[in-house]
């Protein structure tokens, strides 16, 4: 499930090991008073294993801080189908500019994982299964190029989480980080190789599916035109490739 889903493209592309990109600072805006004002964007619902639904949304502070950027807020449902509690601010780190995205998902151990865009990178914060304070925001290490989309979260059938984003560097058209469902730790950034066209840049994944044998299949649109590319894991959690140009938007 997605938590926020031919011409042969040359030789297969094994997962590369790009150098770790400097994490975004994810610093707080101390000029923001934390008073919820005007909403920005749509509500992001996150279903939980116990039947409750969490909600996330961007709100601007009132009065606005010097950055004039919104912040991620959250509220919890008391019981499945029940009322929601009060909105609370997830982090004092602003969201934006250019890309205003907040994505969230429940991890295998019941924590809420939240990723949001901030000054060209992505920040991560978590809340334990029993609620409580949110962890300090920290850089997540995926930084898609401007206008190439944001992060797409995908949960496998066994609860393993993946975060995909367009690759901003010269070596990979798409990058991914994967979470170990046992420890909850996120692995290093891995690359999916380059599409066999040097003038192509991809947006965020348009669709992600898990095949019957457990491998993942990804389709992405070029960020500036209606052409689509697809790629499938060769070995689960180990290697991908090759990229193939789709004959139709549905990659049929």
């Amino acid at each position: 499930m997605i938590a926020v889903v031919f011409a042969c493209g040359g030789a297969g592309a094994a997962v590369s090991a790009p150098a770790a990109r400097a994490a975004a600072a994810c610093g707080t805006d101390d000029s923001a008073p934390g008073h919820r004002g005007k909403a920005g964007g749509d509500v992001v619902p996150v279903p939980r294993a116990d039947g409750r639904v969490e909600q996330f949304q961007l709100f601007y502070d009132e009065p606005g801080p010097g950055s004039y950027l919104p912040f991620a807020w959250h509220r919890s449902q008391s019981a499945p189908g029940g009322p929601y509690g009060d909105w609370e601010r997830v982090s004092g780190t602003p969201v934006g500019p250019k890309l205003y995205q907040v994505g969230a998902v429940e991890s295998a151990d019941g924590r809420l994982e939240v990723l949001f865009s901030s000054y060209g990178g992505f920040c991560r914060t978590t809340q334990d299964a029993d609620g409580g304070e949110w962890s300090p925001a920290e850089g997540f290490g995926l930084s898609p190029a401007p206008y190439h989309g944001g992060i797409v979260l995908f949960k496998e059938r066994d609860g393993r989480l993946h975060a995909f984003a367009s690759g901003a560097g010269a070596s990979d058209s798409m990058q991914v980080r994967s979470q170990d469902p046992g420890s909850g730790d996120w692995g290093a950034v891995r690359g999916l190789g380059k599409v066999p066209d040097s003038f192509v840049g991809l947006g965020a994944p348009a669709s992600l599916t898990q095949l019957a044998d457990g491998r993942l299949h990804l389709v992405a649109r070029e960020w500036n035109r209606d052409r689509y590319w697809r790629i499938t894991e060769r070995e689960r959690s180990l290697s991908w490739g090759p990229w193939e140009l789709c004959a139709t938007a549905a990659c049929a």
Side-chain angles (χ1 to χ4, degrees), residues 134-184:
W134 291 89
S135 66
E138 59 183 8
F140 190 65
L142 293 174
S143 302
Y147 312 113
H148 284 57
I151 285 180
V152 172
L153 291 166
F154 184 84
K155 181 184 285 188
E156 291 194 23
R157 291 187 290 268
D158 66 0
R160 184 186 305 270
L161 297 179
H162 303 278
F164 289 87
S166 172
S171 58
D172 296 294
S173 297
M174 189 72 61
Q175 294 180 324
V176 62
R177 290 191 70 181
S178 302
Q179 188 185 57
D180 185 303
S183 67

Side-chain angles (χ1 to χ4, degrees), residues 14-21 171-172 175-176 188-193 238:
V15 173
S16 64
R21 186 172 299 147
S171 58
D172 296 294
Q175 294 180 324
V176 62
V189 176
R190 296 182 293 139
L192 277 60
L238 291 176

Side-chain angles (χ1 to χ4, degrees), residues 7 34 44 52 60 78 90 119-120 142 150 174 189 193 198 200 206 211 214 216 222 224-225 231 234 239 251:
V44 177
R52 293 179 298 132
Y60 290 86
S78 60
V90 171
Y119 293 105
L142 293 174
M174 189 72 61
V189 176
S198 57
V200 165
L211 305 180
L216 300 183
E222 294 181 22
N224 59 348
R225 59 177 171 174
I231 191 170
R234 182 185 290 114
S239 62
C251 283

